[in-house]
Amino acid sequence: MKSDASLPVEGTGRQFALAQLRRGQVATVSGLVESAAIDSGRDASQSLVTRLRDLGFVPGARCEVVARMWLGGDPIAVRIGGSTFALRRAEAAAVRVEISASHARDAVAHAGSSAVPA
Amino acid sequence: MDATVTPLRIALVGVPNCGKTALFNRLTGSRQKVANYPGVTVERREGERATPDGRGMRVLDLPGTYSLNPTTLDEAITRDVLLGRLADTPSPELVVCVVDAVHLPIGLRLALEVKRLGLPMVLALNRMDVARRRRVHIDVAKLSAELGVPVVPTIAVKRGGADALVEIVEGGRWVAPRAFAAALQEHGAEDAEQMQRDLRGLLGASGYSPPRENPWFGRIDALLLHPVAGLAILLAVLFVMFQAVFSWAEAPMNWIEVAMNSLGAFTAAHLPAGPLASLLVNGVIGGAGSVLVFLPQIVILFFFILALEDSGYLPRAAYLLDRLMGSVGLSGRAFIPLLSSHACAIPGIMATRTIPNWRDRLTTIMIAPLMTCSARLPVYGLLIAALIPARAIGPFNLQGLVLFTLYAAGIVSALLVAFVMKQFARDRQYSPLMLELPDFQWPNASNLLLGLWERVKIFLSRVGGIILALMVVLWFLSSYPEPPPGASGPPIQYSLAGRLGAMLEYVFAPIGFNWQIAIALVPGLAAREVAVAALGTVYAMSAAGDDLSAALEPVIASSWSLATGASLLAWYVFAPQCLSTLAVVKRETNSWKYPLIMAGYLFALAYLASFITFRVVRAWA
């Protein structure tokens, strides 16, 4: 999907895939992309993106990873808009997040080498 | 009052966990119709309510959905009903959109989507009590004005909590929203953005402020979702649940047994000996009674499943198990159907409708009958009591260990079958987990009781209907024709059932089954638990038994070898003979192919397992 036109143009924070957040880290959704981790065609990842948006993963929404399973963190539990959702790593890969300025120190402390610039 | 006027058709729509089913219960009470075996809100539930004008209303509880852009069969049904696409369900005259006030944005987004269909609509702002406690602010009047439909606060779990809604519906104080084309537009990206803007506008206009976080929820989740502690707690919960099914049920089971025995003795004493007394005592009371005994266990099992469901724990279990189940090609979402299958495979199979991917769903359906359903308990209970000594092994009881092994054997073989199916799968379409982990709440007592009552009704109607009828047929088959004069063997050997059993014995002899078992397996096709009743009838036909299960146990203990008993136990781990399960599979997959494959593979596995068990136990004992 093309980059979302309604993206907040802060441009300050670095962008991550949601699955890369550590437990307890708070971030802001910056956009949804079709996840490359879902290999079963465009339709599947398109409908995934649509559903994520319906669940409230929209640009500007604040989210927090509240639990991660096992070492690889699959699945994860994400708190957003007052609800909690269980997402697999592949699903969370569709959500791009930005660490907001107030949480930037957290990000540096936790993200380490796994941070991928957008 | 005009009898020709049909009741007002109302449909309840809402996201999962918004309290829609509680509101449905509040509106319709016990006047509900659930088409045969219910899953958890996956079935078509309809209820009626009288209105002062005599017209009445017919309320349909649609499956929960986040969007009219469906990803599961459930959600597709909701969309199709609203659009009037389902042949047997005309589109509703009024839609009540149920929105959880605590999670307003997600519910309101769906409401916006529903409103676009142009159907008359009322918005029920549910869980207002919780919303107030958590300091959610919503200006109801402004929201209603902005949305253009009536908005009514409700508290579905409180008596009278839906009165305001009823008043609006009965008063006819609702009109069609400014009509849009009643066609569903494709959910394009621009469209979705427009919807988000509308939603933000609505939330702003109604002065919405989000709920205060309940710090306890976070703490509980940190524990329950923890990779190690969470799994340990899940195991403990399941252990307590299955333990309770056996220990709590013991006393009430004894009461039922005693009652049935004295009823049988009373009948035998007050009727002249003859075919009628034999039919009533051996066929009706003995047959149906030996199944009725298991009512307490079924009630307890469903009590746990319903309470776990209502509290919000089950989706968390699915989260914990997703990875493990994924390794054999199952989704974490399969956990709930498979857990329900421990009560009965039928609601379990129906609950698979919430699994979005067809392949995942099919795998779950195919292995659901391997979960030890409550209908196997009578068979296990009888054989274990008769053949396994109640010896202590360390802190455990040998009988309990055997039972646990049988449950485990079912689960392990299910995982193996799923793994094999995964290897054969051609399309590897990705199937999302994307599961909401709802806020914790105390299970609501009246919803729980209503749910239990529904299950009890189904079980009793099974005992009263199909099982009773079969026992009468079996009694007839094993009584006639009567033995020729001067015959030496027990009379049943000369009957139709005896001859059938003798023929089947050729098939079953290699796995150690005698002709009595072979006969009992035939009526067991209708319902597995009937096999116990059938064994009871078969053995009782030679002796004048008035107490079947108590009499059966010593008979089996003295006349069966351990190898035969173990072989029958192994057979019942797979227990292929349940016609109602196969019928549901046919209905759910809309093809004869899958029920036939299921019956075939279950028979093959059952025969193989029994064969091996029989040979091994005989060589070793």
Side-chain angles (χ1 to χ4, degrees):
Chain A
M1 195 175 75
K2 65 180 165 35
S3 166
D4 217 317
S6 61
L7 250 167
V9 278
E10 288 166 10
T12 47
R14 297 166 77 191
Q15 290 207 359
F16 303 87
L18 175 60
Q20 290 170 327
L21 291 183
R22 289 291 177 94
R23 203 167 82 82
Q25 224 174 357
V26 179
T28 306
V29 175
S30 57
L32 293 167
V33 292
E34 283 179 16
S35 169
I38 293 165
D39 51 7
S40 55
R42 209 162 168 281
D43 278 0
S45 36
Q46 181 77 61
S47 85
L48 180 82
V49 164
T50 309
R51 179 46 59 93
L52 282 168
R53 185 165 38 214
D54 293 346
L55 295 182
F57 289 87
V58 290
R62 274 162 54 93
C63 61
E64 179 191 344
V65 172
V66 293
R68 296 170 65 95
M69 211 42 202
W70 304 119
L71 298 168
D74 197 10
I76 59 174
V78 185
R79 187 114 184 114
I80 186 163
S83 305
T84 311
F85 295 97
L87 298 180
R88 292 211 193 100
R89 229 183 139 73
E91 292 148 26
V95 183
R96 308 300 300 181
V97 296
E98 213 161 82
I99 313 278
S100 30
S102 53
H103 303 100
R105 219 176 314 138
D106 273 2
V108 178
H110 292 295
S113 59
S114 66
V116 176
Chain B
M1 195 194 284
D2 184 355
T4 59
V5 173
T6 52
L8 180 70
R9 293 190 309 273
I10 299 177
L12 298 186
V13 184
V15 302
N17 315 307
C18 67
K20 188 168 53 63
T21 299
L23 188 64
F24 174 71
N25 288 343
R26 178 65 56 208
L27 286 175
T28 60
S30 54
R31 300 182 57 190
Q32 302 182 2
K33 254 199 339 228
V34 183
N36 45 51
Y37 296 91
V40 185
T41 66
V42 296
E43 191 53 319
R44 184 194 146 97
R45 305 166 151 268
E46 200 170 43
E48 298 207 353
R49 182 187 177 95
T51 53
D53 65 3
R55 183 179 177 194
M57 48 176 106
R58 188 172 289 159
V59 187
L60 188 62
D61 183 19
L62 291 176
T65 181
Y66 292 104
S67 149
L68 296 184
N69 211 11
T71 57
T72 67
L73 189 62
D74 263 39
E75 299 176 353
I77 286 173
T78 297
R79 180 199 59 189
D80 290 347
V81 169
L82 289 177
L83 290 175
R85 282 188 195 163
L86 278 195
D88 50 344
T89 310
S91 74
E93 294 165 88
L94 173 66
V95 176
V96 174
C97 199
V98 188
V99 173
D100 179 355
V102 183
H103 302 295
L104 185 64
I106 198 167
L108 202 52
R109 207 207 59 81
L110 176 69
L112 278 172
E113 222 179 323
V114 173
K115 196 188 126 186
R116 287 183 161 203
L117 300 178
L119 291 166
M121 180 169 129
V122 172
L123 195 142
L125 212 47
N126 196 28
R127 297 182 77 213
M128 274 308 267
D129 50 339
V130 184
R132 258 180 230 122
R133 235 178 293 139
R134 292 182 58 188
R135 305 271 190 280
V136 177
H137 179 263
I138 302 166
D139 187 331
V140 175
K142 281 225 180 88
L143 180 63
S144 172
E146 204 60 31
L147 196 60
V149 305
V151 176
V152 209
T154 58
I155 305 170
V157 292
K158 212 178 90 181
R159 192 180 292 276
D163 286 356
L165 174 66
V166 168
E167 202 176 299
I168 286 212
V169 172
E170 282 176 356
R173 289 195 281 117
W174 38 272
V175 284
R178 280 152 290 167
F180 289 80
L184 193 64
Q185 290 158 9
E186 256 324 292
H187 209 59
E190 292 83 44
D191 208 36
E193 268 159 40
Q194 182 58 45
M195 195 90 89
Q196 285 301 336
R197 272 196 292 277
D198 290 353
L199 178 60
R200 244 172 273 151
L202 267 179
L203 291 173
S206 56
Y208 169 72
S209 69
R212 275 213 310 223
E213 293 276 339
N214 182 333
W216 278 103
F217 289 171
R219 277 172 223 157
I220 297 172
D221 260 342
L223 191 64
L224 290 185
L225 301 181
H226 189 272
V228 179
L231 278 174
I233 292 170
L234 174 60
L235 275 180
V237 166
L238 294 180
F239 183 79
V240 168
M241 176 170 132
F242 287 116
Q243 198 63 38
V245 165
F246 292 98
S247 51
W248 297 1
E250 220 177 287
M253 285 172 81
N254 281 335
W255 302 334
I256 295 179
E257 210 163 303
V258 168
M260 294 312 286
N261 287 347
S262 35
L263 185 64
F266 179 85
T267 313
H270 287 79
L271 278 178
L276 180 66
S278 170
L279 170 67
L280 284 180
V281 175
N282 295 331
V284 177
I285 299 173
S290 57
V291 180
L292 199 62
V293 161
F294 296 93
L295 180 64
Q297 289 187 330
I298 287 164
V299 168
I300 291 169
L301 192 63
F302 272 118
F303 168 81
F304 272 89
I305 290 177
L306 289 171
L308 287 177
E309 169 84 28
D310 214 12
S311 67
Y313 183 68
L314 284 190
R316 287 169 168 84
Y319 162 89
L320 289 169
L321 294 176
D322 185 61
R323 191 69 186 274
L324 281 176
M325 294 172 76
S327 58
V328 294
L330 287 167
S331 156
R333 282 177 182 247
F335 173 74
I336 296 169
L338 292 180
L339 183 66
S340 311
S341 297
H342 279 98
C344 173
I346 290 161
I349 285 169
M350 298 187 63
T352 62
R353 289 184 201 168
T354 53
I355 300 174
N357 179 280
W358 164 245
R359 202 28 77 184
D360 284 10
R361 185 165 167 241
L362 184 64
T363 310
T364 312
I365 288 175
M366 291 306 249
I367 64 172
L370 290 174
M371 301 294 121
T372 305
C373 67
S374 49
R376 262 110 136 178
L377 278 177
V379 183
Y380 287 175
L382 176 71
L383 295 183
I384 289 176
L387 297 169
I388 309 290
R391 197 156 23 107
I393 293 184
F396 302 106
N397 179 303
L398 183 61
Q399 292 187 332
L401 280 180
V402 170
L403 190 70
F404 181 79
T405 311
L406 291 166
Y407 268 90
I411 294 171
V412 169
S413 38
L415 295 181
L416 287 175
V417 170
F419 185 75
V420 170
M421 280 186 75
K422 184 187 174 190
Q423 309 310 311
F424 282 108
R426 262 164 299 165
D427 75 299
R428 300 277 178 91
Q429 230 217 351
Y430 180 79
S431 126
L433 177 67
M434 265 205 286
L435 201 57
E436 183 171 4
L437 308 178
D439 291 348
F440 293 107
Q441 58 177 16
W442 290 110
N444 178 267
S446 65
N447 280 337
L448 204 68
L449 287 177
L450 215 55
L452 273 182
W453 173 233
E454 215 164 72
R455 266 74 177 185
V456 169
K457 260 197 317 205
I458 290 166
F459 178 77
L460 290 182
S461 63
R462 250 160 80 86
V463 171
I466 192 164
I467 294 179
L468 192 57
L470 276 164
M471 293 331 296
V472 172
V473 170
L474 184 71
W475 171 85
F476 181 82
L477 287 179
S478 40
S479 303
Y480 299 98
E482 285 174 4
S488 54
I492 191 172
Q493 272 186 356
Y494 303 94
S495 68
L496 284 170
R499 288 174 202 173
L500 184 66
M503 278 191 289
L504 286 173
E505 208 185 349
Y506 288 109
V507 183
F508 288 118
I511 58 174
F513 291 1
N514 55 30
W515 61 270
Q516 289 94 334
I517 300 177
I519 298 176
L521 288 180
V522 175
L525 279 169
R528 294 185 181 101
E529 60 269 45
V530 169
V532 166
L535 273 177
T537 306
V538 170
Y539 276 107
M541 292 313 288
S542 31
D546 53 5
D547 176 2
L548 290 181
S549 51
L552 200 50
E553 202 186 297
V555 170
I556 288 176
S558 61
S559 65
W560 290 16
S561 69
L562 181 63
T564 292
S567 171
L568 187 57
L569 284 176
W571 176 271
Y572 260 87
V573 168
F574 301 97
Q577 71 284 18
C578 176
L579 289 180
S580 12
T581 301
L582 295 175
V584 168
V585 173
K586 198 258 154 193
R587 208 182 63 200
E588 292 294 304
T589 60
N590 203 16
S591 133
W592 280 109
K593 183 176 151 198
Y594 298 108
L596 287 176
I597 293 177
M598 176 185 274
Y601 101 78
L602 286 175
F603 261 111
L605 285 182
Y607 201 91
L608 187 71
S610 290
F611 186 83
I612 295 172
T613 309
F614 182 62
R615 303 283 144 170
V616 168
V617 173
R618 203 173 50 171
W620 172 73

